[in-house]
Amino acid sequence: MAFNAMWKPGPEAVAGMHLHDTTSQPALVIYLDPDSLAIMPPRDQDDWPDFIRLMHELRDGAIDVADHLSRAIGGSHDH
């Protein structure tokens, strides 16, 4: 199933790990101000290696995009 979405982040947009209060299950949460997106690991731990790989790819892709945009505006923003 394909899922495509586009949001324009607001001035208070942030991202980070969030632990669900009742289960302590981690999720990557992107607060887009005002919307948010949570990416949660599969319940079956056997599927975690693929999820971990995806989290690493998201990290690497985010760094690549930030670096590209920083070069495009002629600045150097640390990550």
Side-chain angles (χ1 to χ4, degrees):
M1 171 174 55
F3 175 78
N4 296 306
M6 181 183 293
W7 287 277
K8 178 182 176 189
E12 301 294 321
V14 296
M17 186 180 83
H18 175 77
L19 293 175
H20 190 277
D21 292 337
T22 58
T23 63
S24 295
Q25 180 177 4
L28 172 62
V29 179
I30 304 167
Y31 297 99
L32 296 163
D33 183 31
D35 301 311
S36 65
L37 171 69
I39 302 174
M40 301 175 72
R43 291 186 179 150
D44 186 344
Q45 287 187 10
D46 290 340
D47 295 328
W48 284 9
D50 287 334
F51 185 79
I52 292 167
R53 176 194 49 77
L54 175 62
M55 291 294 99
H56 288 159
E57 288 181 6
L58 286 171
R59 174 202 60 209
D60 296 346
I63 289 169
D64 291 346
V65 169
D67 288 348
H68 179 83
L69 294 174
S70 292
R71 285 190 304 273
I73 63 171
S76 175
H77 296 100
D78 292 349
H79 49 266

